[in-house]
């Protein structure tokens, strides 16, 4: 079974990446045969959706960029974990741009639930608003025909120097939930 992490952070060494590593480690411990793949959107050339409407008929986006690699990876994966830093009470523009490009999938109609989606969200402040990002991620799950596994939301990350034990436990719980889905 394949687990795809899609990182929507502009940094490879930030909390979002560390949370991916912790959840990924937990998945590997519980399901050693799982294949983990990582896409770092900030390293890719992904353009904005132009709302041209071309995908309404074909189900294929006409923009020629790296997004077609993301479509293939999502299609080939059993579980997709979106990893998102929270900016101004929502997902980073990097990941939102990629999610918006799934309009071509939405345009072709509902899908049978054959995949699963989970969310990792890191907010720097003491009380970030996660609900907007959770809602957007759930809409993404519906669009690709995936069931919702759950989310790991972490606040106060700007002040964290190390990784608290309770955070490790939360990451392990999400990793176990993903592994349970894989082992079904």
């Amino acid at each position: 079974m394949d687990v795809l992490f899609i990182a929507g952070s502009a940094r490879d060494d930030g909390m979002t990446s560390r949370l991916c590593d912790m959840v990924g480690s937990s998945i590997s411990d519980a399901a050693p045969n799982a294949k983990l793949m990582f896409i770092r959107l900030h390293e890719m050339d992904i353009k904005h959706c132009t709302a041209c409407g071309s995908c309404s008929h074909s189900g294929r986006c006409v923009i020629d960029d790296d997004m077609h690699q993301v479509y293939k990876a999502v299609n080939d994966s059993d579980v997709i974990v979106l990893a998102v830093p929270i900016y101004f009470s929502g997902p980073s523009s990097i990941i939102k741009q990629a999610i918006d490009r799934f309009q071509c999938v939405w345009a072709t109609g509902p899908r049978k639930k054959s995949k699963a989606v989970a969310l990792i969200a890191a907010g720097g402040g003491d009380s970030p608003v996660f609900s907007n990002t959770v809602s957007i991620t759930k809409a993404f799950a519906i669009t690709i025909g995936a069931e919702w596994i759950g989310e790991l939301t972490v606040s106060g990350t700007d002040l964290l120097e190390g990784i608290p034990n309770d955070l490790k436990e939360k990451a392990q719980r999400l990793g176990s939930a993903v592994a349970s889905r894989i082992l079904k």
Side-chain angles (χ1 to χ4, degrees), residues 1-152:
M1 295 293 236
D2 294 338
V3 179
L4 173 65
F5 285 81
I6 301 177
S9 175
R11 296 174 42 206
D12 290 333
D13 61 346
M15 182 55 74
T16 303
S17 291
R18 291 191 291 179
L19 290 169
C20 284
D21 291 343
M22 287 190 292
V23 172
S25 178
S26 178
I27 294 167
S28 293
D29 289 346
N33 293 331
K35 179 181 172 190
L36 305 183
M37 300 171 297
F38 293 86
I39 288 179
R40 290 173 176 77
L41 294 172
H42 77 277
E43 296 174 350
M44 303 177 87
D45 174 31
I46 298 176
K47 295 174 178 50
H48 293 280
C49 176
T50 62
C52 68
S54 294
C55 65
S56 298
H57 307 289
S58 67
R60 180 164 164 71
C61 183
V62 296
I63 299 172
D64 185 22
D65 63 5
D66 292 341
M67 191 63 197
H68 294 281
Q69 295 171 35
V70 177
Y71 296 137
K72 180 173 179 0
V74 167
N75 190 54
D76 292 348
S77 299
D78 302 295
V79 179
I80 297 94
V81 180
L82 298 180
V84 185
I86 302 298
Y87 298 149
F88 293 95
S89 300
S92 70
S93 61
I94 296 169
I95 201 153
K96 183 63 168 77
Q97 184 169 307
I99 290 171
D100 288 348
R101 290 285 298 282
F102 275 85
Q103 176 64 25
C104 61
V105 177
W106 176 260
T108 59
R111 289 172 167 50
K112 184 180 113 188
K113 289 191 176 178
S114 61
K115 299 182 179 300
V117 169
L119 170 68
I120 298 170
D126 289 338
S127 55
V129 176
F130 292 110
S131 59
N132 299 326
T133 301
V134 171
S135 177
I136 290 166
T137 307
K138 285 182 176 180
F140 168 77
I142 292 166
T143 298
I144 66 167
E147 68 182 75
W148 183 252
I149 294 177
E151 70 266 4
L152 167 61

